[in-house]
Amino acid sequence: MSSQSVSNDTSKTRTIDLDLWSDFVCAHCYYGTLRVINAVAQQPDPDVFKLRWRSFELDPRPAEARPKGDLYDYLARFNGSREAGRAAMEMIGAIAKSDGLPFHADKARPGNTVDAHRLIHLAGAEAPDRQTEIARRFYSAYWTEGLPIADHDALVEMAEKTGLDPERAREVLSGDEFADEVARDQQLAMRMGVMGVPTVVVDRQWALSAGMPMESLSAQLTRLAAEAREA
């Protein structure tokens, strides 16, 4: 992929692509994606970085194929018991709260996230400056408010509150628009070896864990920006 120049003090600085794979029902992604956003914002020249939200479904099964019950019933199938799932969420909740994020896993309502990802692609096509805001809204809605991530009415309302046209959002959800884009993101993840989230891939060459400490992530981006200026 060819890089393009960024207007700053010098035309030699190139854009650094940051492809961020995450899923809204991923608790680590809840705080990890915010760390990426903040790390970029804290850079002396944040415009050097081009952040793209990529789709990743931890569980692509439709509602009828998913286990019934609350989040801890769901996690019991992976952690061995409700108690183990609750303990895992408490650990993640402590990390989120240390980052200043509210976290109420008891309210979470598991569901398929493909439609939420499709709306992220809609935002990317029509209102890219709002894409991050909409993604953060979906995370907050799921992990703090207990809103159903697979419900079309809830998704339209969330999208509208962040500036998307609600009628356009409902039109997308009523069909399969942007489903191919979601699928392509996940196929790209497989080709690039992205097996878990949250993951940031830099210039389609190497990966950074978005869950690393904020200081480490910011330092990595600062180093990348310096290398881009010198390139």
Side-chain angles (χ1 to χ4, degrees), residues 35 37 40 44 54 70 73 75 81 106 128 162-163 179 203 210:
R35 288 181 179 181
I37 295 166
V40 170
R54 297 290 192 180
D70 62 13
D73 289 324
L75 292 176
S81 68
D106 288 351
T162 54
D203 285 340

Side-chain angles (χ1 to χ4, degrees), residues 11 27 33 40 50 55 70 87 93 102 129 131 134 161 172 174 188:
S11 61
T33 54
V40 170
K50 180 180 179 181
S55 305
D70 62 13
D129 59 322
Q131 195 176 35
I134 294 169
K161 287 183 177 179
V172 167
S174 67
L188 179 61

Side-chain angles (χ1 to χ4, degrees), residues 130-181:
R130 295 195 181 106
Q131 195 176 35
T132 293
E133 182 183 358
I134 294 169
R136 295 307 306 167
R137 180 70 190 100
F138 288 165
Y139 276 110
S140 178
Y142 184 81
W143 288 109
T144 72
E145 302 168 47
L147 294 179
I149 196 67
D151 182 81
H152 286 188
D153 289 337
L155 288 171
V156 169
E157 183 176 351
M158 286 184 268
E160 181 180 13
K161 287 183 177 179
T162 54
L164 273 187
D165 178 1
E167 295 306 316
R168 179 71 177 107
R170 195 173 294 279
E171 178 185 28
V172 167
L173 293 177
S174 67
D176 60 1
E177 197 172 353
F178 296 108
D180 287 344
E181 285 81 351

Side-chain angles (χ1 to χ4, degrees), residues 20-206:
L20 175 55
W21 272 273
S22 66
D23 195 12
F24 306 111
V25 295
C26 164
H28 288 294
C29 297
Y30 174 47
Y31 67 84
T33 54
L34 184 62
R35 288 181 179 181
V36 174
I37 295 166
N38 288 341
V40 170
Q42 290 176 8
Q43 297 301 306
D45 185 8
D47 291 337
V48 167
F49 298 94
K50 180 180 179 181
L51 180 63
R52 281 191 294 250
W53 289 85
R54 297 290 192 180
S55 305
F56 194 102
E57 291 179 83
L58 287 176
D59 187 349
R61 292 177 295 176
E64 59 271 16
R66 301 171 68 91
K68 306 301 180 184
D70 62 13
L71 176 64
Y72 302 114
D73 289 324
Y74 181 81
L75 292 176
R77 295 175 175 258
F78 305 96
N79 296 77
S81 68
R82 284 178 57 87
E83 291 71 24
R86 187 179 294 276
M89 288 298 102
E90 288 176 353
M91 292 177 61
I92 295 172
I95 297 172
K97 289 176 182 177
S98 72
D99 283 6
L101 290 170
F103 187 81
H104 304 295
D106 288 351
K107 295 182 179 181
R109 299 164 66 177
N112 183 281
T113 57
V114 66
D115 288 332
H117 285 297
R118 290 200 294 133
L119 289 185
I120 294 297
H121 278 283
L122 169 64
E126 298 191 354
D129 59 322
R130 295 195 181 106
Q131 195 176 35
T132 293
E133 182 183 358
I134 294 169
R136 295 307 306 167
R137 180 70 190 100
F138 288 165
Y139 276 110
S140 178
Y142 184 81
W143 288 109
T144 72
E145 302 168 47
L147 294 179
I149 196 67
D151 182 81
H152 286 188
D153 289 337
L155 288 171
V156 169
E157 183 176 351
M158 286 184 268
E160 181 180 13
K161 287 183 177 179
T162 54
L164 273 187
D165 178 1
E167 295 306 316
R168 179 71 177 107
R170 195 173 294 279
E171 178 185 28
V172 167
L173 293 177
S174 67
D176 60 1
E177 197 172 353
F178 296 108
D180 287 344
E181 285 81 351
V182 172
R184 281 197 291 268
D185 276 356
Q186 298 186 99
Q187 291 162 5
L188 179 61
M190 292 180 63
R191 291 199 301 272
M192 300 187 72
V194 176
M195 305 302 293
V197 287
T199 296
V200 180
V201 175
V202 181
D203 285 340
R204 298 201 177 191
Q205 295 181 38
W206 63 90

